[in-house]
Amino acid sequence: VTRVHVWGASGYAAAELIRLLAAHPSVELGALESRSHAGERIGDAFALLRRLERSFDEPGSVVACAQSGDVVVTAGGTGEAAAIVPQLLADGVRVIDLSADYRFERRAAYGLTEWNREAIAGASLVANPGCYPTAASLALLPLAAIAAPAAIVVDAKSGITGAGRNPSVDALYAEVAGEIRAYGLGGHRHQPEIERNLRERGIAAPLVFTPHVVPLARGMLVDAYAIFDRPLDAGAVAAAFQEAYASSPFVVLLGGDRTPSVRAVAGTNEAELRVDVEGRTVRAICAIDNLGKGAAGQAVQNLNLMLGLCEERGLRDRAIVA
Amino acid sequence: VTRVHVWGASGYAAAELIRLLAAHPSVELGALESRSHAGERIGDAFALLRRLERSFDEPGSVVACAQSGDVVVTAGGTGEAAAIVPQLLADGVRVIDLSADYRFERRAAYGLTEWNREAIAGASLVANPGCYPTAASLALLPLAAIAAPAAIVVDAKSGITGAGRNPSVDALYAEVAGEIRAYGLGGHRHQPEIERNLRERGIAAPLVFTPHVVPLARGMLVDAYAIFDRPLDAGAVAAAFQEAYASSPFVVLLGGDRTPSVRAVAGTNEAELRVDVEGRTVRAICAIDNLGKGAAGQAVQNLNLMLGLCEERGLRDRAIVA
Amino acid sequence: VTRVHVWGASGYAAAELIRLLAAHPSVELGALESRSHAGERIGDAFALLRRLERSFDEPGSVVACAQSGDVVVTAGGTGEAAAIVPQLLADGVRVIDLSADYRFERRAAYGLTEWNREAIAGASLVANPGCYPTAASLALLPLAAIAAPAAIVVDAKSGITGAGRNPSVDALYAEVAGEIRAYGLGGHRHQPEIERNLRERGIAAPLVFTPHVVPLARGMLVDAYAIFDRPLDAGAVAAAFQEAYASSPFVVLLGGDRTPSVRAVAGTNEAELRVDVEGRTVRAICAIDNLGKGAAGQAVQNLNLMLGLCEERGLRDRAIVA
Amino acid sequence: VTRVHVWGASGYAAAELIRLLAAHPSVELGALESRSHAGERIGDAFALLRRLERSFDEPGSVVACAQSGDVVVTAGGTGEAAAIVPQLLADGVRVIDLSADYRFERRAAYGLTEWNREAIAGASLVANPGCYPTAASLALLPLAAIAAPAAIVVDAKSGITGAGRNPSVDALYAEVAGEIRAYGLGGHRHQPEIERNLRERGIAAPLVFTPHVVPLARGMLVDAYAIFDRPLDAGAVAAAFQEAYASSPFVVLLGGDRTPSVRAVAGTNEAELRVDVEGRTVRAICAIDNLGKGAAGQAVQNLNLMLGLCEERGLRDRAIVA
């Protein structure tokens, strides 16, 4: 049993992580540190964790408690992890960072599990991917084995928990209900992460990325379109996807009448993926839970690899049936 | 044409008021003062007001612009109106206050239109009622003509705009969706206002008031139960309601299979009301838009009375068809 | 391991039941019979059951497969269970009926688990309670130990899955979103069931019952108000509730600032319950998942008793985190 | 004042049309014929039309009542209009058809107002466009003046009223809430209509069209991506859009930080449109109300042209503020 601590424990992804860790058979909960909620009962902050008899721990708790052999998941805001990660690593504590801070650092293993298992398993520091990059990369990377697209469009629809739990007008119920809007046009911070992931596998086509907020608490659907210079063979494309994910239990390839469903994956670590060829365009649609495979679920999947456990350990129970 | 200024212009009720005033044929918009949004285009704050080519005015604008004969609607937070209202009144400016600050002051006319028309028409200062007190009072006051209940229960369900637009965790989409919760048990600030309204008409029974938040942006349904010591005559009760609202165009009494509908009244100044007698209990259900009859709509209705206009002026167009 | 068959397997409660049974460690899935969906893959009908590699079985399958020692859960429409239950019982098959058909029959044990454990444990036929009666009875029955109320008001708010999965205009997204409405005034079929439950424990006061549909897929909040002739002692009331549910793991009594939360119980078999005394009125608020404790969850809880298992077997995992 | 009759009056688009016509200053309501709801009060079917004291008329009413000079809007299901339209035309009655039946017929004027005003003004029969084709065409047609794209992707998100009011499982609240799903892949009936509109203006690039249902009652956002062989000049693109819609009051071009908003256009006949150039790709985003500009609103806009009225007549009041 490994002790896992959570630093920055009061956001939506952290709450989902605590839920998963509390039920994980090979893990025990360590410190659950929150600057903003220190001392508050976790169940008062999150109705879903009411049965968990714990309070948020004080600032400094994670550093004080974490020992060599433990794992810390850092879930603070942008730029905050540097305050704690170097010291933890020096102390022999392994770290999974949920923020964007280490996603472009070479000394961190990039935690897109299905495409980087070996590095993750041996890493001291794992940079957990963003939710959009997770879905977009799962949808597009198998194409690298086929041909180089000439252009890529990623049209993404996300639930509002992706914006975090710090209250802002844009995330209010009265603003999100009844609305769909594109945002971050031309400058979303996840775009370079997606582009890097693609380029590293040889997909260098220019990317147009359009994220939208839709009236959902959690869940994300990403439609990725790769436009080629010539028509592709549908069978070859399907085969490439099947080969890419043959050993990946959380990637579910759909065919026939089934299209990826946000409700089907909500509360799980699954990614539903469907690929179609229409002339010179390949459309790959990927549904994930932005708090599951897009954040906390993938963190636990990576944790399992780091601990030498089965990838699915603690991740088989559906968390949402809505 | 009367100039109407809005002070505290950046909340949900104020936005609804601006929408109504902008279309009102006997009114022109004066200063639209907002401390927090000064200088910002109104259409950037409220998607629904995008076609209004105006910006929020600077602090001090209302006092600087309002002249004798104008009307100011004060829509600030609790306790803020006192900073401006006495001076406005001294300058011969009439005021409608949307906050709770003057609802218990004798020098203000209480703006529950259907029950206080004469005082409102001649008032310099109108205290616009709270949304819950509006719906609960419309539902219960006709009973004063029948008999004195022994106990009263008001079970209210409100959309989240009633909590205002200052961002708080409780008002986030991810917290409100999929949830119903009672709140403010035993101490909601609207309870004394409801009790006062009832007592003034002779209904002195103890009141239990349970407000709930439901997953709605706007709209409110109030179920008011009056328990009597003896069975009531359903015909007499129905007659009392019909008589009470015979000259009130915005109170729509429903019978047959129709029950009050939040969607039917959303975006309007209407109150749908249905009353049933079940043995010793009278159940009166009232649906209003908390931003309409519960705030901005009733403010315009009161404005019309103060200006000697038809009560319905500028209030006949439905604003929501959702 | 006991084989459990489901008859009428294509409604919302049946789908929730299949989900619970598929994960239940002491149960194996038998026939899953559906007249309307026979032959269709279950995962095509329910996105949440996509990983279940099963199809709905043909009409007749349950009778053909069920053997002495098995359990059948009948989940058909009103009046349909009689076509199959007598024969099953004659064959030594135990039955849990989710419909309303046996709730007033003496030869069936009424499946309100917390109040009828002994009879359920020994029963051949269990009549699972309605969702409203479950919540209302849990909220009101402890009062029987205190005093007899003079009047009772039950104001209930339900998600739309309570209306079933047969498509009707009233259950369309475009009708339910943005709306709250009372329905079934004066004649909801659950009213006699609630009254019977209360009367059997000595609570004979007249009941006014007002069910509402709110914009929720699943979950239910019931506010039960008991009006007495004299003020009650809050400590005695609290003690009565604590005693009533001291051995009931699924009933969670809340105090302090916590109020029952639909999201906290969604996907579980839990009932959150809070009781307050306000003068002569006791208000007990109960939150359940209408498909969980209000239907499939309670069915599994009863199944556990019938099989001599721990009441919580197979019911500890949260199913929803939404 | 022209009499306008509605045939097939009980769907969502028809209800919106009735709402608009009832408030239109140059129109009087004629027969409102519904086979399925004949004799039912319109306000019982649609909460939003409760104040309209009318019932649905019997089958045959439109043909019986419509006289030369009147206009009939046919809003029946696919393939139904042929039963009535030829006779109406023969009787000198002008027709606007909301179904897909005449969109490919040369004798009908295609009712995409902004691109076909002259033909519409003189037409006896107008084929009102589909909602997706309206938004996609408004977003893409101005590009015809610039250059020919090599590939086009249209990723569309629609509220569920687009599926009509005939109840189906897929349109139930419990299925739509919490979900986003692509549908009709490779075969949506609106795809040929979009392709035809583009080809007629010289845009012959292959189109990939992906419609999605999102949790909205009404409203639609369409992201249209045109991929060119060479980078385009952003200024030239912006100029082309400004020129295309300079005289179109209902097309609102957005720049700066503003992105098209479904809530901003809900209940109106407006289309919000924003165009950005990213390298070789032009992204044009268009928000409309699928029942407004996507159906009933555009029908009234066309009606105005046919009657020689100002295009905006009866369409300036916002219908939704949600």
Side-chain angles (χ1 to χ4, degrees):
Chain A
V1 171
T2 301
R3 266 211 306 180
V4 180
H5 312 268
V6 183
W7 184 83
S10 55
Y12 285 120
E16 179 73 355
L17 182 68
I18 292 170
R19 185 184 69 79
L20 290 170
L21 294 174
H24 195 294
S26 309
V27 155
E28 67 176 359
L29 283 176
L32 305 174
E33 176 178 336
S34 166
R35 197 170 46 210
S36 55
H37 288 66
E40 186 180 345
R41 286 200 298 167
I42 291 176
D44 285 341
F46 293 99
L48 306 171
L49 295 172
R50 280 190 176 180
R51 309 300 167 255
L52 187 70
E53 296 300 330
R54 282 284 305 264
S55 296
F56 290 111
D57 294 305
E58 300 290 330
S61 302
V62 163
V63 164
C65 299
Q67 299 182 351
S68 177
D70 292 0
V71 176
V72 170
V73 183
T74 48
T78 304
E80 295 184 353
I84 182 175
V85 168
Q87 180 175 348
L88 290 169
L89 295 174
D91 292 348
V93 176
R94 281 177 290 180
V95 175
I96 301 171
D97 181 47
L98 291 190
S99 82
D101 292 1
Y102 292 96
R103 292 179 192 155
F104 287 85
E105 290 230 6
R106 282 293 161 188
R107 64 192 154 121
Y110 184 67
L112 185 64
T113 325
E114 283 73 12
W115 292 88
N116 206 23
R117 284 191 180 86
E118 199 173 335
I120 294 164
S124 299
L125 173 59
V126 170
N128 220 57
C131 49
Y132 290 124
T134 294
S137 302
L138 290 175
L140 289 167
L141 288 180
L143 293 174
I146 303 277
I152 293 174
V153 169
V154 172
D155 189 290
K157 300 92 180 158
S158 174
I160 190 65
T161 47
R165 206 173 190 235
N166 287 325
S168 70
V169 168
D170 285 349
L172 293 179
Y173 183 88
E175 306 290 322
V176 173
E179 181 67 290
I180 329 176
R181 278 201 315 118
Y183 71 102
L185 297 187
H188 194 282
R189 66 191 169 92
H190 281 174
Q191 176 146 357
E193 188 180 339
I194 300 172
E195 288 171 338
R196 192 269 319 269
N197 295 355
L198 298 178
R199 261 198 315 272
E200 282 189 355
R201 302 272 166 179
I203 302 177
L207 165 69
V208 174
F209 173 48
T210 318
H212 303 75
V213 171
V214 292
L216 281 180
R218 53 197 279 172
M220 165 176 290
L221 194 79
V222 169
D223 292 71
Y225 303 88
I227 297 100
F228 293 84
D229 288 327
R230 53 178 179 78
L232 293 196
D233 177 65
V237 170
F241 276 76
Q242 271 152 17
E243 191 181 327
Y245 298 119
S247 308
S248 291
F250 291 113
V251 179
V252 182
L253 297 177
L254 303 177
D257 287 341
R258 292 193 181 178
T259 54
S261 156
V262 165
R263 291 176 72 232
V265 301
T268 79
N269 190 48
E270 292 173 354
E272 285 197 343
L273 191 49
R274 177 195 174 97
V275 60
D276 290 287
V277 177
E278 299 206 13
R280 298 190 294 113
T281 298
V282 174
R283 174 184 50 220
I285 309 179
C286 182
I288 62 171
D289 184 337
N290 60 306
L291 300 179
K293 181 64 180 168
Q298 189 157 239
V300 171
Q301 192 182 1
N302 290 330
L303 174 70
N304 287 337
L305 290 185
M306 295 164 81
L307 300 180
L309 302 170
C310 164
E311 200 170 309
E312 304 180 62
R313 189 95 171 141
L315 288 170
R316 272 288 109 188
D317 290 327
R318 170 179 300 281
I320 295 192
V321 182
Chain B
V1 171
T2 301
R3 267 211 307 179
V4 180
H5 314 267
V6 183
W7 184 83
S10 57
Y12 285 120
E16 179 72 357
L17 181 68
I18 293 169
R19 185 183 69 78
L20 290 170
L21 294 174
H24 194 294
S26 310
V27 155
E28 69 177 356
L29 282 176
L32 305 174
E33 175 178 336
S34 165
R35 198 168 48 209
S36 55
H37 289 67
E40 186 180 346
R41 285 201 298 165
I42 291 177
D44 285 341
F46 293 97
L48 305 171
L49 296 171
R50 280 189 175 179
R51 308 303 165 252
L52 186 70
E53 295 301 330
R54 280 286 303 265
S55 295
F56 290 111
D57 295 304
E58 300 290 330
S61 302
V62 164
V63 164
C65 298
Q67 299 181 353
S68 178
D70 292 359
V71 176
V72 170
V73 183
T74 48
T78 304
E80 295 183 353
I84 182 174
V85 170
Q87 180 175 347
L88 290 169
L89 295 175
D91 292 349
V93 177
R94 281 176 290 180
V95 174
I96 301 171
D97 182 47
L98 291 189
S99 82
D101 292 0
Y102 292 95
R103 292 178 193 157
F104 286 86
E105 290 230 6
R106 283 292 161 188
R107 64 193 155 125
Y110 184 67
L112 184 65
T113 325
E114 282 73 13
W115 292 87
N116 204 24
R117 283 190 180 90
E118 198 174 338
I120 294 165
S124 300
L125 172 60
V126 169
N128 220 56
C131 48
Y132 289 124
T134 294
S137 302
L138 290 176
L140 288 167
L141 287 179
L143 293 174
I146 303 277
I152 294 174
V153 169
V154 171
D155 189 289
K157 303 91 179 157
S158 174
I160 190 64
T161 47
R165 207 172 188 235
N166 287 326
S168 69
V169 168
D170 286 349
L172 293 178
Y173 183 88
E175 307 289 324
V176 174
E179 181 68 290
I180 330 175
R181 277 200 317 116
Y183 72 102
L185 297 186
H188 193 283
R189 66 191 169 93
H190 281 174
Q191 176 146 358
E193 188 181 339
I194 301 171
E195 288 170 338
R196 192 269 317 268
N197 295 355
L198 298 178
R199 260 200 315 270
E200 282 190 355
R201 302 272 164 179
I203 302 178
L207 165 70
V208 174
F209 174 50
T210 317
H212 302 76
V213 171
V214 293
L216 281 181
R218 53 196 277 172
M220 164 176 290
L221 194 79
V222 168
D223 292 70
Y225 303 89
I227 297 100
F228 292 83
D229 288 327
R230 53 178 179 79
L232 293 197
D233 177 65
V237 170
F241 277 75
Q242 272 152 14
E243 190 182 325
Y245 298 119
S247 308
S248 291
F250 291 113
V251 179
V252 181
L253 297 177
L254 303 177
D257 286 341
R258 291 192 180 178
T259 54
S261 156
V262 165
R263 291 176 72 233
V265 300
T268 79
N269 190 47
E270 292 175 354
E272 285 197 344
L273 190 49
R274 178 195 173 96
V275 60
D276 290 286
V277 178
E278 300 207 13
R280 296 191 293 115
T281 298
V282 173
R283 175 182 52 220
I285 310 180
C286 182
I288 62 170
D289 184 337
N290 58 306
L291 300 179
K293 180 64 180 169
Q298 189 157 240
V300 173
Q301 192 182 0
N302 290 330
L303 174 71
N304 287 338
L305 291 186
M306 294 164 81
L307 299 181
L309 302 170
C310 163
E311 199 171 310
E312 305 178 62
R313 189 98 173 138
L315 288 171
R316 272 290 108 188
D317 289 327
R318 168 179 300 282
I320 295 189
V321 181
Chain C
V1 172
T2 302
R3 267 211 307 180
V4 180
H5 313 267
V6 183
W7 185 83
S10 57
Y12 285 121
E16 179 73 356
L17 181 69
I18 292 170
R19 186 185 67 79
L20 290 170
L21 294 174
H24 195 295
S26 310
V27 155
E28 68 176 0
L29 283 176
L32 305 174
E33 175 178 336
S34 165
R35 197 170 46 208
S36 54
H37 288 65
E40 187 179 344
R41 285 201 299 166
I42 291 177
D44 285 341
F46 294 98
L48 307 170
L49 295 172
R50 280 190 176 180
R51 310 300 167 255
L52 187 71
E53 296 301 330
R54 282 285 305 264
S55 295
F56 291 109
D57 295 305
E58 300 290 331
S61 301
V62 164
V63 164
C65 298
Q67 298 182 351
S68 177
D70 292 359
V71 176
V72 169
V73 183
T74 47
T78 304
E80 295 184 353
I84 181 175
V85 170
Q87 178 175 349
L88 291 169
L89 295 174
D91 291 349
V93 177
R94 281 176 291 180
V95 174
I96 301 172
D97 181 48
L98 293 189
S99 81
D101 292 359
Y102 292 95
R103 292 179 192 156
F104 286 86
E105 288 230 7
R106 283 292 160 189
R107 64 193 155 123
Y110 184 67
L112 184 64
T113 326
E114 284 73 13
W115 292 89
N116 206 24
R117 284 190 180 89
E118 198 173 337
I120 294 164
S124 300
L125 173 60
V126 170
N128 221 55
C131 49
Y132 289 124
T134 294
S137 302
L138 290 175
L140 289 167
L141 288 180
L143 293 174
I146 304 277
I152 293 175
V153 169
V154 172
D155 189 289
K157 300 91 179 159
S158 174
I160 190 66
T161 47
R165 204 172 190 236
N166 286 326
S168 69
V169 168
D170 286 348
L172 293 179
Y173 183 87
E175 307 290 323
V176 173
E179 181 69 289
I180 329 175
R181 279 201 316 117
Y183 71 103
L185 298 187
H188 194 284
R189 65 191 169 95
H190 281 173
Q191 176 145 356
E193 188 180 341
I194 300 172
E195 288 170 338
R196 192 270 317 268
N197 294 356
L198 298 177
R199 260 199 316 271
E200 282 190 354
R201 300 275 166 178
I203 302 177
L207 165 70
V208 174
F209 174 50
T210 318
H212 302 76
V213 171
V214 293
L216 282 180
R218 52 197 276 170
M220 165 176 288
L221 194 79
V222 169
D223 292 70
Y225 303 89
I227 296 100
F228 292 83
D229 288 328
R230 54 178 178 80
L232 294 196
D233 177 65
V237 170
F241 276 75
Q242 271 152 17
E243 191 182 325
Y245 298 119
S247 307
S248 291
F250 290 114
V251 179
V252 182
L253 297 178
L254 303 178
D257 287 341
R258 291 193 180 176
T259 53
S261 157
V262 165
R263 290 176 72 233
V265 301
T268 78
N269 191 48
E270 291 174 352
E272 286 197 343
L273 191 48
R274 177 195 174 97
V275 60
D276 289 286
V277 177
E278 299 206 14
R280 297 190 294 114
T281 299
V282 173
R283 174 184 51 220
I285 310 179
C286 183
I288 62 170
D289 184 338
N290 60 305
L291 300 178
K293 180 65 179 169
Q298 190 156 243
V300 172
Q301 191 181 1
N302 290 330
L303 174 70
N304 287 338
L305 290 186
M306 293 164 82
L307 299 180
L309 302 170
C310 164
E311 198 170 310
E312 304 180 60
R313 190 98 174 138
L315 288 171
R316 272 288 108 186
D317 290 327
R318 169 180 300 284
I320 294 190
V321 183
Chain D
V1 171
T2 301
R3 266 212 306 178
V4 180
H5 312 268
V6 183
W7 184 82
S10 56
Y12 285 121
E16 179 73 356
L17 182 68
I18 292 169
R19 184 184 69 77
L20 291 169
L21 294 175
H24 195 293
S26 309
V27 154
E28 67 176 358
L29 283 176
L32 306 175
E33 173 177 337
S34 166
R35 197 171 46 209
S36 55
H37 290 65
E40 187 180 344
R41 285 201 298 166
I42 291 177
D44 285 341
F46 294 98
L48 306 170
L49 295 172
R50 279 191 177 179
R51 307 302 165 255
L52 188 70
E53 296 301 331
R54 281 287 302 264
S55 295
F56 290 111
D57 294 305
E58 300 290 331
S61 302
V62 164
V63 165
C65 299
Q67 299 182 352
S68 178
D70 292 359
V71 177
V72 170
V73 183
T74 47
T78 304
E80 295 183 352
I84 179 174
V85 169
Q87 179 175 349
L88 291 169
L89 295 174
D91 292 349
V93 176
R94 281 175 291 180
V95 174
I96 302 172
D97 182 46
L98 292 189
S99 82
D101 291 0
Y102 292 95
R103 292 179 193 156
F104 286 87
E105 289 230 6
R106 282 294 159 187
R107 64 193 154 123
Y110 184 66
L112 185 64
T113 325
E114 283 73 14
W115 292 87
N116 206 24
R117 283 189 180 90
E118 198 172 338
I120 294 164
S124 300
L125 172 60
V126 170
N128 220 56
C131 48
Y132 289 124
T134 294
S137 301
L138 290 175
L140 289 167
L141 288 180
L143 293 174
I146 304 278
I152 293 173
V153 169
V154 172
D155 189 289
K157 302 91 178 159
S158 174
I160 190 64
T161 46
R165 205 172 190 234
N166 286 326
S168 70
V169 168
D170 286 349
L172 293 179
Y173 183 89
E175 307 291 322
V176 173
E179 182 67 291
I180 328 177
R181 278 199 318 116
Y183 71 103
L185 297 186
H188 194 283
R189 66 191 169 94
H190 282 173
Q191 175 144 358
E193 188 180 340
I194 301 172
E195 288 171 338
R196 191 270 318 266
N197 295 355
L198 297 177
R199 259 199 317 270
E200 282 190 354
R201 302 272 164 178
I203 302 177
L207 165 70
V208 174
F209 174 49
T210 319
H212 302 76
V213 171
V214 292
L216 282 180
R218 52 198 278 173
M220 165 175 290
L221 194 79
V222 168
D223 292 70
Y225 304 88
I227 297 100
F228 292 83
D229 288 327
R230 53 178 178 81
L232 293 196
D233 177 65
V237 170
F241 277 74
Q242 273 152 16
E243 191 182 324
Y245 298 119
S247 307
S248 291
F250 291 113
V251 179
V252 182
L253 296 177
L254 303 177
D257 287 341
R258 292 193 180 176
T259 53
S261 157
V262 166
R263 290 176 72 232
V265 300
T268 78
N269 191 47
E270 292 174 353
E272 286 197 343
L273 190 48
R274 177 194 173 98
V275 61
D276 291 286
V277 178
E278 300 206 13
R280 298 190 294 113
T281 299
V282 173
R283 175 185 50 220
I285 310 179
C286 183
I288 62 169
D289 184 337
N290 59 305
L291 300 179
K293 181 64 180 169
Q298 189 157 240
V300 172
Q301 191 181 2
N302 290 330
L303 173 70
N304 287 336
L305 290 186
M306 295 165 81
L307 300 181
L309 302 170
C310 164
E311 199 170 311
E312 305 179 60
R313 190 96 172 139
L315 288 171
R316 273 288 110 187
D317 290 325
R318 171 178 299 284
I320 294 190
V321 183

